[in-house]
Amino acid sequence: MNGIELRNDAGPLFRVGVVVATHGLRGDLRVRPATAGSLALADARELTVLLPSGERCLRTARRVSPHGASLLLALEGCSHIDQAQAYVGAELYMAQADLATPEDGSLYWHQLEGLRVIDRRLGVVGTLESLLETPGHDLYVVQGPYGEVLLPAVAAMIEAIDLEAGEMRVNLPEGLIGLND
């Protein structure tokens, strides 16, 4: 969460996106999701908005819709471009309790970020820092004793994810670490 630990009465909040621009004259906001394609924002009942000034406020989402690689967000009480302009640059957070449980058993990025990545042969590879989305498949960016390692985020490489232990166990093909040099 960019070093910011935000909480509300429902518990910890996680970052779902950043307002990058206004859209149209009716106060819509264009949002870059925290991970591209993430529609977690569509599940939000209430959003915590961290404005560029550092001020924090609660807002209710009226409507969220896909718009290319971005999302369009309409907030209650924001019905004109002049009102929307104040939100440009704001970070959007929501409560984990508002998230729908993925039916396919997948996990949200905020659950994976910070996990210790351990390879069957090499041991600790590092900490999962970020996610790069590419047309072929996503890549996990891991920082550790081997420097920055890019791991394909594919089921064939991931043996287990233990959220309670904070670990992702992987079985990397020989030579993958050397390919990142």
Side-chain angles (χ1 to χ4, degrees):
M1 275 194 279
N2 295 343
I4 299 171
E5 178 69 30
L6 292 179
R7 300 181 66 80
N8 70 6
D9 294 340
L13 302 175
F14 70 95
R15 190 167 155 251
V16 291
V18 175
V19 177
V20 293
T22 59
H23 182 83
L25 299 175
R26 290 185 266 156
D28 287 350
L29 303 169
R30 193 166 36 144
V31 175
R32 182 181 65 236
T35 57
S38 170
L39 292 178
L41 187 58
D43 296 325
R45 292 185 288 247
E46 187 173 70
L47 293 169
T48 298
V49 180
L50 184 59
L51 296 167
S53 66
E55 181 185 345
R56 193 167 91 167
C57 56
L58 294 176
R59 295 293 179 261
T60 302
R62 277 186 307 150
R63 180 183 71 254
V64 178
S65 58
H67 184 72
S70 302
L71 299 170
L72 293 183
L73 170 66
L75 296 174
E76 289 291 333
C78 184
S79 58
H80 191 271
I81 190 171
D82 292 339
Q83 294 170 311
Q85 192 61 46
Y87 292 98
V88 174
E91 295 183 2
L92 305 174
Y93 293 83
M94 65 181 278
Q96 292 180 22
D98 289 347
L99 282 175
T101 303
E103 293 177 19
D104 62 0
S106 60
L107 298 169
Y108 288 102
W109 167 246
H110 75 274
Q111 294 173 292
L112 299 174
E113 187 175 22
L115 291 180
R116 188 172 54 252
V117 178
I118 302 169
D119 179 61
R120 173 189 294 194
R121 278 182 310 103
L122 301 172
V124 175
V125 177
T127 303
L128 188 53
E129 298 285 329
S130 62
L131 176 72
L132 294 175
E133 297 195 22
T134 68
H137 53 75
D138 296 343
L139 295 171
Y140 293 133
V141 179
V142 178
Q143 294 287 342
Y146 300 99
E148 182 178 88
V149 177
L150 302 177
L151 305 177
V154 295
M157 296 215 187
I158 300 171
E159 292 185 336
I161 295 175
D162 185 342
L163 296 177
E164 286 186 25
E167 295 179 350
M168 175 186 287
R169 296 214 168 259
V170 297
N171 184 15
L172 302 179
E174 210 163 312
L176 179 72
I177 299 289
L179 290 176
N180 290 305
D181 293 336

